[in-house]
């Protein structure tokens, strides 16, 4: 086979991931997503920053979850697991179902009834997962799957599984390769808080530095030979106002937001995310549902990039914090657009003007 054929992030970064030559890799060629520079929006607003979007919606199942799932399912299969389980607001379940199908094992996914976007539900169903809807939210589901996986032969593939973060850290490697160094800021939505922690692991390893995850990480930042950046970025995490435990500084029992992907009140990576914020001298900020939807539309209309509402919170946050001067002048800022807009067509159509209907005779 042609050596240049891209075969997924584990093969690309195998020396920085916990695999060896005997490991059977379960992959759908995830990763290698485009880093797209925004042009029209910064021009229009007179921003002096260079802003890039890492469009994770272009992964095989349409979200960044594929980065973690290739690693988690590869390790599950290596350990002899026949079935995986997760709780999900939608994207994790889609990725778990797809990678389980690829591996030839079973998947069980718990989702909050009526609170996940239809595109995501259709994916889990099509890939043959056993879909269990619960009368509760993601946090209730998370408690359940932790209980179930501790008593049954089910491999838990939520981001509490450290292999998920190992896969997701590769986003930092790709950004550094594309820009030649780490950006000044890296901005992302925060829900269960695994992704911000994974970004920090990736950037820390790339700069040859320790990070707050070291005690949980089996690699102990053993990559001193793989230093590829001179610095680490400041991390900024945006949360929906109705589901913002990091802003309230305590868990939120009844989270609510139109951005159902991040409708989470009890993030499992609480400590890791605080460590990432503190070590990177970053911050958390919140955006309302209105601001999120407006940003989703602005990005789609002005740049041709259609991401899901949870991802658009990065743009909503920038619109607020750049105007306030919270980002230092002339910075390079990368936003992780975590999922594709096609995941949630209902929300997109509901906020758009209905198409005009004309009789064919009028067209002639
Ligand atoms: N953006 C999207 C599109 C997501 O699906 C998620 C999480 C996040 C952001 C937040 O990432 O949890 O690592 O802080 N979705 C999970 C799921 C919870 O079940 O699909 P996080």
């Amino acid at each position: 086979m042609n050596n240049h054929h891209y075969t997924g992030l584990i093969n690309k970064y195998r020396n920085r991931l916990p695999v060896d030559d005997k490991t059977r890799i379960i992959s759908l060629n995830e990763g290698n997503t485009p880093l797209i520079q925004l042009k029209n929006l910064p021009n229009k607003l007179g921003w002096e920053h260079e802003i890039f979007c890492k469009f994770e919606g272009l992964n095989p199942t349409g979200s960044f979850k594929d980065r973690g799932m290739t690693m988690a399912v590869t390790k599950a299969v290596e350990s002899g697991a026949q079935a995986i389980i997760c709780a999900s607001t939608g994207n994790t379940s889609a990725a778990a179902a797809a990678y389980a199908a690829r591996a030839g094992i079973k998947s069980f996914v718990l989702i909050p009834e009526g609170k996940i976007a239809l595109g995501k539900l259709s994916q889990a169903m099509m890939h043959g997962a056993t879909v269990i809807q619960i009368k509760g939210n993601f946090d209730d589901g998370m408690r359940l799957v932790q209980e179930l996986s501790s008593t049954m032969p089910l491999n838990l593939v939520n981001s509490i599984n450290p292999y998920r973060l190992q896969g997701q850290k590769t986003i930092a490697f790709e950004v550094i390769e594309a820009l030649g160094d780490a950006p000044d800021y890296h901005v992302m939505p925060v829900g269960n808080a695994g992704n911000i922690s994974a970004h920090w692991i990736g950037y820390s390893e790339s700069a040859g530095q320790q990070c707050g995850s070291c005690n949980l990480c089996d690699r102990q930042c053993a990559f001193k030979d793989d230093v590829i950046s001179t610095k680490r970025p400041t991390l900024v995490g945006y949360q929906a106002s109705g589901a913002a435990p990091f802003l309230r500084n305590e868990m939120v029992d009844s989270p609510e937001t139109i951005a159902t992907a991040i409708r989470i009140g009890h993030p499992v990576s609480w400590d890791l995310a605080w460590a990432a914020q503190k070590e990177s001298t970053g911050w958390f900020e919140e955006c309302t549902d209105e601001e999120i939807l407006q940003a989703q539309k602005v990005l789609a209309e002005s740049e041709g990039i259609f991401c899901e509402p949870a991802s658009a919170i990065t743009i909503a946050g920038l619109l607020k914090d750049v105007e306030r001067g919270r980002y230092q002048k002339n910075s390079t800022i990368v936003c992780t657009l975590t999922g594709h807009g096609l995941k949630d067509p209902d929300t997109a159509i509901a906020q758009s003007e209905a198409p005009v209907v004309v009789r064919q005779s009028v067209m002639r």
Side-chain angles (χ1 to χ4, degrees):
M1 195 188 295
N2 176 344
N3 272 345
H4 300 296
H5 177 219
Y6 179 82
T7 54
L9 59 85
I10 298 183
N11 273 335
K12 170 136 195 223
Y13 299 112
R14 52 166 55 242
N15 62 331
R16 290 183 250 177
L17 290 167
V19 289
D20 60 39
D21 291 346
K22 293 189 290 300
T23 310
R24 178 184 154 214
I25 311 267
I26 311 299
S27 170
L28 290 164
N29 296 15
E30 57 296 307
N32 197 24
T33 55
L35 187 68
I36 307 167
Q37 182 164 14
L38 297 189
K39 302 270 185 201
N40 302 326
L41 194 59
N43 276 350
K44 189 171 136 205
L45 298 173
W47 289 353
E48 287 161 352
H49 306 296
E50 292 212 297
I51 300 178
F52 296 85
C53 287
K54 184 73 171 152
F55 194 14
E56 292 289 281
L58 293 181
N59 273 297
T61 77
S63 87
F64 73 97
K65 302 290 180 179
D66 296 344
R67 286 185 192 274
M69 208 52 77
T70 182
M71 205 54 245
V73 174
T74 290
K75 294 307 276 188
V77 167
E78 189 174 63
S79 73
Q82 294 293 316
I84 58 172
I85 189 167
C86 66
S88 182
T89 56
N91 282 324
T92 300
S93 62
Y99 283 82
R102 184 80 165 165
I105 61 174
K106 278 199 71 62
S107 61
F108 297 86
V109 304
L110 270 71
I111 53 172
E113 187 190 20
K115 290 289 184 183
I116 82 165
L118 278 190
K120 305 173 187 179
L121 180 59
S122 73
Q123 288 177 289
M125 294 167 84
M126 281 302 284
H127 292 304
T130 301
V131 180
I132 303 155
Q133 303 209 61
I134 60 163
K135 296 200 180 297
N137 59 30
F138 170 84
D139 304 307
D140 300 318
M142 198 60 231
R143 277 188 287 272
L144 266 170
V145 294
Q146 284 181 270
E147 243 173 73
L148 290 172
S149 62
S150 69
T151 54
M152 288 190 221
L154 295 165
N155 194 293
L156 184 59
V157 295
N158 281 105
S159 58
I160 197 167
N161 175 335
Y163 295 124
R164 278 277 310 276
L165 303 194
Q166 286 296 310
Q168 285 171 215
K169 76 182 180 184
T170 58
I171 190 172
F173 304 162
E174 291 180 15
V175 169
I176 292 166
E177 277 166 23
L179 296 178
D181 203 345
D184 298 311
Y185 297 90
H186 198 129
V187 175
M188 72 210 72
V190 174
N192 211 20
N195 208 27
I196 191 167
S197 311
H199 278 68
W200 194 236
I201 298 173
Y203 279 119
S204 296
E205 282 183 10
S206 302
Q209 296 191 33
Q210 299 275 312
C211 73
S213 318
C214 278
N215 56 342
L216 292 177
C217 168
D218 64 337
R219 312 298 289 171
Q220 298 291 327
C221 288
F223 303 107
K224 300 280 186 278
D225 297 339
D226 290 309
V227 171
I228 52 171
S229 60
T230 63
K231 59 178 184 191
R232 297 185 287 183
T234 296
L235 299 190
V236 182
Y238 289 109
Q239 295 217 282
S241 294
F246 288 98
L247 278 298
R248 311 291 167 256
N249 207 4
E250 62 181 8
M251 300 297 174
V252 170
D253 283 337
S254 301
E256 210 44 84
T257 168
I258 186 97
T260 50
I262 50 173
R263 188 172 166 271
I264 295 171
H266 288 242
V268 299
S269 295
W270 178 255
D271 293 338
L272 287 183
W274 278 119
Q277 176 265 322
K278 291 200 177 83
E279 289 170 16
S280 77
T281 63
W283 66 87
F284 294 108
E285 185 52 274
E286 63 186 286
C287 299
T288 65
D289 281 2
E290 237 176 22
E291 290 169 332
I292 292 170
L293 290 180
Q294 211 178 3
Q296 186 191 19
K297 186 82 172 154
V298 163
L299 184 68
E301 281 189 349
S302 64
E303 302 279 3
I305 302 173
F306 185 24
C307 67
E308 68 170 283
S311 316
I313 201 170
T314 54
I315 304 299
L318 281 186
L319 288 169
K320 181 182 279 190
D321 281 342
V322 170
E323 292 301 327
R324 282 180 190 161
R326 233 168 154 184
Y327 291 86
Q328 283 192 5
K329 273 203 160 57
N330 299 313
S331 294
T332 302
I333 305 174
V334 173
C335 301
T336 301
L337 297 182
T338 45
H340 204 290
L342 290 172
K343 292 268 192 178
D344 190 359
D346 293 347
T347 305
I349 291 170
Q351 67 153 323
S352 302
E353 268 177 46
V356 289
V357 181
V358 295
R359 287 191 306 278
Q360 288 184 42
S361 58
V362 177
M363 305 287 284
R364 288 194 191 109

